[in-house]
Amino acid sequence: MKFGKRLKQQIQETLPGWRDKFLSYKELKKLVRLVSSAPMLLNGSLEYGKAEEQFVYLLNSEIEKFNAFFMEQEEDFVIWHKELQHRIKRVIDTWGPNGSQPSDADCKAEMAKIRKDIVDFHGEMVLLVNYSIVNYTGLAKILKKYDKRTGGLLRLPFIQKVLEQPFFTTDLISKLVKECESTIDAVFPAEEEQRTREVREATTVAEEGIFRNTVAALQTMQEIRRGSSTYGHFSLPPLNLPDSELIQSFQLNSPIPIV
Amino acid sequence: MDARPALSIRRSGANQLSSMGISGPLSSSLPVLPTPLEETYPKLPDSQQVSMERELVTRPLTHVSHLSSDSGVVGHIFSSSSGFSSDLHYSSVSPHEKHSRNSPFISQSSTNGASLPFTHSSHSESLESTTSSHYLKENTASWHTDSLPSFLDFPVNTSIENGQVESSNCNGVLASEEFSKWADQLITDDDALTSNWNELLADSNVADLEPKMAYQVPKPSPNFPSHQSQVHLQLPAPSGEIHAVATPSSSAPAKPRMRWTPELHEAFVEAVNQLGGSERATPKGVLKLMKVEGLTIYHVKSHLQKYRTARYRPESAEGSSEKKLTPIEEMSSLDLKTGIEITEALRLQMEVQKRLHEQLEIQRNLQLRIEEQGRCLQMMFEKQCKSGIDKLKASAPSSDAVPDSPDKSELEDSQVDHGKTVTDPGSANTRMEERSPEQKAPEAKAPQNSEPDACESNSQPSKRPRKDE
């Protein structure tokens, strides 16, 4: 139940629009239990077949759900990516190559807006990649459970199929993320070390922003990979974050309860 | 009434089948056909119709390729346990075409007991229901509750149009195309399925049956992604992809999902600009200008909408996930000093995000590699046990049975034999498990290469005792 709990946590802390797009891990676990408890008689069991059918059906519809959501988001990202570039170009055209001229308030405002948007855009893309990986991990785990409980061999072919699915092929998104990072380097002024430290101390992530979700995602990933009771050759090694103290220092206040 | 001609056709079909040597229950149940339809439709098949269930399950699939007039009906075929009638009808209408395919199934079912086919049918039904739901996304709600009369109509329709239906594909060209392609693929894969089923039927050992059936269930499903990729190949849009979700219906239009890439989007923006901007451009015009094969007006429409939102209301667009005011924004209203603080806060956010992304990439690569290794291991175990069994059979052990470095092309063959259980994989497994905790995340390819070698060397000692026997 460890993964299930972590998944639940992550879902709770994720962006509101995404909450129902994650894997229905609990549902699937119920079905696995159903399948493993259904008697496997010599003349074939109605219940077993039905349960298995349900399980596979749910798996497939989940995958379809992931694909639909993922491609929808991807489309948005493609559009925004282009849009941001367009906006930056516009600023440069209007106010010259150095966007941070103190004389022009509009320019500054626009640049500030662009910077914020880029960072949020970057964050959202990363969260989508996280979404993809979390769901994949969930699928892998549930399939492993299924095979273990029922002695079936559903896992291998299914995972092969999953690997080809759009929601798992996140190459485009990663590419956009990298492009974003390089754009940001160009758009942000030079870093000042002292200020960074001050801000760092002061930051508490209070609301349901992208930043908060990112931190949550990192923490969750760390915890998921902390150590497994059922360690097999399909398990991931523990996560060693170089800056784990930094991450831990972000205080995540309890989210505003959604009625 | 429509039922009458349908019945007569069915009867002739039944006679045909009985002439092929079908057991009694078939013809006796024929007169009561209309009622079992109603009774058993929502439920899973009971033992009476068991012997016929199996082969008719594949029939509906091939049927579907010829019929795209009514989504409800199509859905019906899939979910109906008494597609029995459709099967008979099918065989009666086009006996010359599919006769050869009919007989192996039917003769098989008559020789085998009721037990095996029964579970097969439920599995295959799950196949169909899975896959059909996969495809009939729009109609998943409707097909369970669709009315019987349409089902009864169906045989009459196809009897008339069977030869012509394929060519007279109705609206939603893409959908029906996809659908028939999909069904075609299933037909071509039928041979593979047939051989599998023959294997299964011949094998009376239930212990083996379960894993094999479990394997059966997802097998056609992998066809779908490959089918989708087939679609990709056939519609070479400028690096755009269409993921087929076919909805063969006269009412609902086809809505395959489009995967937008930056290049495709650029073409889109070009077209929009040529037409005078996002406000003035119409979906039709853009579609025409873009000249991308496989792109439908629905894709363009929704994309245009998104584009407009992104252009003119960036706050609502980028905050589509209902982002609330962060502390950073609260500070934003003021002066230069705060401006720098904001920037720094943004930088921090950026750092964390970058970190997350890095870790995600690493994890993803790891997972891919793990799957890869798992596959190789699996394959090697199977080769090993295969050769082990061969050795047990043959008196003279062959020394060239040593597995080579993992060859992916052999994977399919090995997957078929997965039902056999061997103790060796278990021991080698534990050895792998001991080794994997030692691996840390960002290690180079070395572990991957050494693992197969290690496996090979492991397999050697386990072979030796056998050899000495």
Side-chain angles (χ1 to χ4, degrees), chain A residues 28 57 62 116 160 245:
Chain A
L28 285 164
Y57 177 82
E62 289 289 292
K116 173 149 198 333
Q160 296 310 312
E245 332 76 47

Side-chain angles (χ1 to χ4, degrees), chain B residues 129-184:
Chain B
S129 54
T130 310
T131 55
S132 67
S133 66
H134 198 72
Y135 273 68
L136 301 173
K137 202 160 80 153
E138 315 290 293
N139 296 324
T140 40
S142 58
W143 47 274
H144 278 294
T145 55
D146 211 339
S147 55
L148 254 310
S150 62
F151 184 83
L152 290 172
D153 285 338
F154 160 63
V156 180
N157 287 342
T158 47
S159 65
I160 298 169
E161 303 171 9
N162 193 33
Q164 305 148 1
V165 168
E166 270 186 74
S167 51
S168 66
N169 273 336
C170 61
N171 31 330
V173 172
L174 190 66
S176 46
E177 265 179 41
E178 310 277 270
F179 214 72
S180 54
K181 277 177 202 148
W182 162 66
D184 281 342

Side-chain angles (χ1 to χ4, degrees), chain B residues 1 6 12 32 39 58 88 114 121 146 159 179 197 215-216 225 264 270 279 293 301 308 317 340 385 410 433 440 460:
Chain B
M1 195 159 74
S12 65
V32 291
E39 285 168 4
T58 46
L88 291 180
S121 66
D146 211 339
S159 65
F179 214 72
W197 280 20
Y215 179 70
Q216 278 296 331
L264 193 58
E270 271 297 308
E279 289 298 315
E293 219 182 304
K301 220 194 230 178
R308 283 182 184 149
I340 295 179
C385 73
E410 297 175 75
E433 281 176 19
K440 287 292 180 242
Q460 296 280 15

Side-chain angles (χ1 to χ4, degrees), chain A residues 184-198:
Chain A
I184 283 177
D185 289 335
V187 161
F188 272 62
E191 182 165 357
E192 297 178 30
E193 281 303 329
Q194 271 174 324
R195 306 273 170 146
T196 315
R197 238 172 285 135
E198 284 171 26

